[in-house]
Amino acid sequence: SVHQIRSLNWITAAWRIRHLVRILRPRLVLTVQEAASIPTVLALHGQARAITQPRVVISIQNTLSAVLAASKPRTRLRIRLAIRSLYPRTDRVIAVSQGVAKDLLTTWPTLAPRVSVIYNACVDPSMATMAKKPCRHHFFRGMVLANERPEQKKGPPVIVACGRLTAQKDYPTLLQAVARLRTRRPVRLLVLGEGPARPQLETIIGRLGLSDTVDLAGHLSNPYSAMARATVFVLSSRWEGLAMVVSEALACGTPVVATDCPHGPAEILEDGKYGRLVPPGDPTVLAQALEAILVDPRGARAMAERGRQRALDFTTERSAGAYVALLEALATPDPPTEVPTVLST
């Protein structure tokens, strides 16, 4: 598992992966987390192609330049050297968005013949059922689904954010934006997710006097029931790979405000066609964008309807079909030298 690999150094993880491959004899190995990619390629490259030597496909889930910039110098150097020497030995590199692919190729252009873009699967038929289930959080007491019978809603509008409590998600900027917005109108913010930044965020909430306005609710077993009842969904990230939660919010019929960070949100929202985009790290502009949704219910409903249609481009069926086509081509005994770039849309 990725959790186990992260707890090991690359050499130890590679040895365990190679041992497992020799036992299972898979025809193809696919990694879906960067933490597993380097030890997997390290384990398998250099061996003679044989029945026990599988094809190797790695998936890049995040903007590598941003991840490297946020890493310690020693870690950054190790990752750069590993990518430069090991990634060209893979059979295919899958990027989860066009932006991630361009970012990767800006630094390592020699990987271009091996790179495909396939959007992550994040919208499936069960979401509609889950979204309609009751949300027991007290912020939504008496509320109905987003954009349904708004005259029946009770209490302040609720803004929902969803993601790990880490520096990447930049919740301090969001909290500052909510503090500004609250001076002009009643509002609540519900943050779904857990992570190491919780103590810092709790301190900021207390300093800004937002204890009755913001709830760091942790994990919810059914986040879609909250998304579907939110007046607006917000993403405040500094960087992303694809930002699947944006697609999920669109599928729930909720208007979206997101930062135009590298990469993902602008690609999903098509540069503002399906939701509002704001610069990262600017609480004033973020507050203005959120308020624009709150004061224009009719426009918000129209945005939400456009968003539902856009969400269909991120279904499990489309993504799975793209993966099957690519992996079947690679798993043949004598695969083509180059597999065409595959898009899930």
Side-chain angles (χ1 to χ4, degrees):
S1 72
V2 170
H3 176 73
Q4 291 173 322
I5 288 174
R6 282 177 175 162
S7 67
L8 304 171
N9 62 55
W10 288 347
I11 300 300
T12 304
W15 181 85
R16 292 190 180 183
I17 292 169
R18 179 177 291 190
H19 180 67
L20 186 63
V21 166
R22 285 175 176 171
I23 295 174
L24 299 179
R25 296 189 177 186
R27 293 176 62 185
L28 187 146
V29 174
L30 168 66
T31 70
V32 294
Q33 290 287 345
E34 285 85 348
S37 296
I38 291 174
T40 298
V41 182
L42 185 64
L44 300 178
H45 91 81
Q47 298 184 74
R49 183 71 69 182
I51 190 170
T52 57
Q53 173 64 25
R55 306 289 173 182
V56 180
V57 180
I58 63 176
S59 176
I60 307 297
Q61 298 283 319
N62 225 324
T63 301
L64 279 178
S65 63
V67 172
L68 290 170
S71 301
K72 296 178 180 178
R74 184 176 179 181
T75 301
R76 183 161 57 244
L77 178 61
R78 290 174 63 216
I79 294 175
R80 281 184 174 276
L81 290 174
I83 291 175
R84 185 174 65 183
S85 61
L86 296 176
Y87 278 27
R89 301 174 186 271
T90 63
D91 293 281
R92 205 65 179 167
V93 178
I94 298 174
V96 296
S97 70
Q98 295 283 2
V100 167
K102 291 177 181 177
D103 177 80
L104 176 67
L105 295 177
T106 297
T107 306
W108 294 281
T110 56
L111 292 175
R114 302 174 183 275
V115 175
S116 296
V117 177
I118 302 179
Y119 291 141
N120 278 340
C122 50
V123 177
D124 64 71
S126 68
M127 285 182 59
T129 301
M130 295 177 70
K132 292 180 180 179
K133 291 184 177 181
C135 182
R136 305 191 185 281
H137 193 277
H138 64 276
F139 278 6
F140 294 107
R141 193 167 296 137
M143 288 193 176
V144 296
L145 296 177
N147 302 313
E148 290 186 5
R149 302 189 303 278
E151 70 280 358
Q152 293 187 16
K153 291 189 175 182
K154 301 177 181 178
V158 180
I159 301 167
V160 168
C162 184
R164 292 193 72 231
L165 307 184
T166 62
Q168 176 185 354
K169 304 303 180 181
D170 196 12
Y171 288 123
T173 291
L174 177 57
L175 294 175
Q176 293 173 45
V178 170
R180 286 167 166 77
L181 183 57
R182 194 189 59 166
T183 64
R184 299 192 289 272
R185 61 184 62 252
V187 68
R188 286 172 169 169
L189 171 64
L190 177 64
V191 179
L192 307 179
E194 196 53 80
R198 174 178 280 276
Q200 176 201 11
L201 298 178
E202 289 175 341
T203 299
I204 296 173
I205 289 170
R207 187 176 71 243
L208 295 175
L210 297 175
S211 298
D212 295 332
T213 301
V214 178
D215 185 18
L216 305 179
H219 295 294
L220 288 188
S221 59
N222 179 12
Y224 308 123
S225 63
M227 286 185 186
R229 286 164 176 78
T231 306
V232 56
F233 179 87
V234 62
L235 181 89
S236 55
S237 297
R238 297 178 184 177
W239 75 86
E240 287 286 347
L242 181 64
M244 291 190 295
V245 289
V246 171
S247 301
E248 292 169 342
L250 294 179
C252 289
T254 305
V256 171
V257 173
T259 50
D260 189 7
C261 65
H263 297 94
E267 195 168 327
I268 295 172
L269 300 176
E270 289 196 358
D271 297 319
K273 181 179 178 180
Y274 298 103
R276 290 182 174 270
L277 290 167
V278 299
D282 192 328
T284 300
V285 177
L286 180 55
Q288 292 170 350
L290 292 169
E291 186 171 25
I293 298 290
L294 301 180
V295 301
D296 184 15
R298 181 176 297 181
R301 287 195 294 274
M303 180 188 294
E305 285 306 311
R306 294 195 302 271
R308 285 185 190 274
Q309 294 303 310
R310 174 59 173 158
L312 297 177
D313 292 330
F314 301 91
T315 61
T316 52
E317 182 178 3
R318 282 176 177 253
S319 181
Y323 266 99
V324 168
L326 186 145
L327 297 180
E328 282 185 342
L330 288 174
T332 57
D334 188 19
T337 304
E338 290 189 9
V339 181
T341 297
V342 180
L343 293 175
S344 63
T345 58

